[in-house]
Amino acid sequence: MQKIANYINGALVPPNKSNYLDNYEPATGQVYAQIPDSSTEDVEHAYVAAKAAFPAWSTLSTDERSKILYRIASLIEENLESLAAAESKDNGKPEWLAKMVDIPRAASNFRFYSTAIQHYAAGAHAMSNKAINYTLRGAIGVVGCISPWNLPLYLFTWKIAPALAAGNCVVAKPSEVTPMTAFLLSQICIEAGLPAGVLNIVHGLGHSAGNAIVSHPNIKAISFTGGTQTGAQIAKIAAPMFKKLSLELGGKNPNIIFADCDYDKMLSTTLRSSFANQGQICLCGSRIFVERPLYERFKKDFVQRVAAMKVGDPLDKNSKLGAVVSKAHQEKVLSYVSLAKEEGGHVLCGGYAVHPEGRCKEGYFIAPTVIEGLEYDCRTNQEEIFGPVVTIMPFDTEQEVLEYANSVVYGLASTLWTSNISRATRMAQEIEAGIVWVNCWLLRDLRTPFGGVKASGVGREGGFHALDFFTEPKNVCIEY
Ligand code: NAD
């Protein structure tokens, strides 16, 4: 069985204590690899390597750093097929999706930041006839990056690329549930000539390896994407140590549909925004509010289309949904369907585990599920499910739907469907979310601020925002 390794000081190394964790293939329910169960000592080795690499990496010319990151992007592209296959096997997502979205985006993350750093500048403030202030922006030092399982390489590289571009050295931990493409990235970094110690990838559990990164006294900044509860735990440790923190957390996003929308576009996009990646994207719209005159038509068409979506082997090109990421997650998602029923909801389609014929019969599949008849403030509509489950609810007025939309503790993303530009503009201002998509979903420009408000996080990634996070500004004031 394949055993993957940590990537420390430029080499692939086993964990210090030789402890390993089983890694499952969600589509078959079988263990197919073993991953390091790293300890505090492994994180310390990674830190020491990163610290030693920092002076040379942070003073390397921007051009040189940029060239190496660009090479990593190209190598990711060259390895598209094998990375997509690995991502699909590790995570359960359809292979076509990994090939179309996850891996190309991982390459874009590196390419984007390899060029962004060449355009990044700090400001100057002249005080008339008196003094000039100018701002220096320098790398922080050794920083920590911790990522989740839903978009494994996509989100891992979204943190690492700007951290490295800005001149930091990194100790990173991918999710223990989906470590494989991060391991393959370590091989790519070696091939690209990334100097030893600049990036260190430590595999293992959150409460051990992850916690060791967060509580390390000399790792000065933590960029974390994951659940809101984990984010709160991390903040508790990092805040008294005065670390810089970027937290991208959970969501419970509203999808608000007005009767005057472009119906066909709305319907096909809402299928994606509900069930792409088995509904395991933090940006999926899981609460669908439909203006009453359109409600019955939408319900009929939507349920018909959802019921026809094929759930099955991620290797099958016709599978619209693959497996959810783990047995535990499958059970959690299905427990929310039971809760919805207890709360008075009617399951219009789905709501059960699927057991495809053949090699995937033991896999963790769930039929895409649509539920109606729930109040906006019940638990099913307030808590993050993070699976292929959506609720649909009618509404009458703009004011009413805003109240529903904003009633959750989260505030990550939202979607609005209307052809009334005044209404869209008005509502975009009122919705409590870091991102508002109008007549589209998941249309991403990497320059834009990305992140959430309320319990969905603190700080913004994307564009120069990430470079701001991964650098420390210093103002110099010269009187003349
Ligand atoms: P999680 O919080 O369980 O784990 C995320 C990462 O944190 C993993 O690498 C894990 O090992 C690590 N971790 C866990 N406990 C830790 C601790 N005490 N100290 C340090 N590290 C620790 O999240 P998950 O289940 O992997 O991911 C799903 C969650 O991520 C969902 O809530 C989803 O909404 C959220 N998410 C948010 C965004 C966003 O951009 N806002 C994007 C994707 C996913």
Side-chain angles (χ1 to χ4, degrees), residues 391-406:
T391 60
I392 60 173
M393 286 158 279
F395 70 89
D396 292 299
T397 67
E398 210 175 291
Q399 227 24 61
E400 177 195 5
V401 77
L402 269 174
E403 189 188 326
Y404 296 167
N406 291 341

Side-chain angles (χ1 to χ4, degrees), residues 210-211 213-216 222 224 227-247 249 458:
N211 182 61
I213 295 173
V214 171
S215 48
H216 196 290
I222 302 292
F224 169 80
T228 292
Q229 272 187 347
T230 316
Q233 272 173 25
I234 289 175
K236 230 182 249 175
I237 296 169
M241 299 170 87
F242 306 110
K243 295 191 182 204
K244 264 185 131 174
L245 263 187
S246 170
L247 301 174
L249 310 176
V458 177

Side-chain angles (χ1 to χ4, degrees), residues 396-447:
D396 292 299
T397 67
E398 210 175 291
Q399 227 24 61
E400 177 195 5
V401 77
L402 269 174
E403 189 188 326
Y404 296 167
N406 291 341
S407 67
V408 294
V409 295
Y410 299 105
L412 186 54
S414 55
T415 310
L416 265 177
W417 291 96
T418 178
S419 56
N420 180 334
I421 188 75
S422 300
R423 170 157 57 206
T425 314
R426 208 163 43 231
M427 290 191 67
Q429 269 183 28
E430 296 297 322
I431 290 178
E432 294 167 356
I435 299 160
V436 183
W437 275 297
V438 180
N439 300 329
C440 59
W441 178 72
L442 205 58
L443 191 54
R444 293 279 294 118
D445 180 327
L446 301 191
R447 294 168 301 179

Side-chain angles (χ1 to χ4, degrees), residues 343-400:
E343 290 182 319
H346 308 293
V347 177
L348 300 173
C349 66
Y352 49 83
V354 174
H355 301 281
E357 288 292 303
R359 76 170 197 114
C360 293
K361 63 179 186 302
E362 305 289 332
Y364 317 132
F365 296 86
I366 299 177
T369 303
V370 182
I371 302 172
E372 77 164 351
L374 289 167
E375 294 298 322
Y376 76 93
D377 57 355
C378 67
R379 277 185 57 207
T380 308
N381 273 327
Q382 295 285 313
E383 296 175 15
E384 185 183 45
I385 301 175
F386 212 56
V389 177
V390 296
T391 60
I392 60 173
M393 286 158 279
F395 70 89
D396 292 299
T397 67
E398 210 175 291
Q399 227 24 61
E400 177 195 5

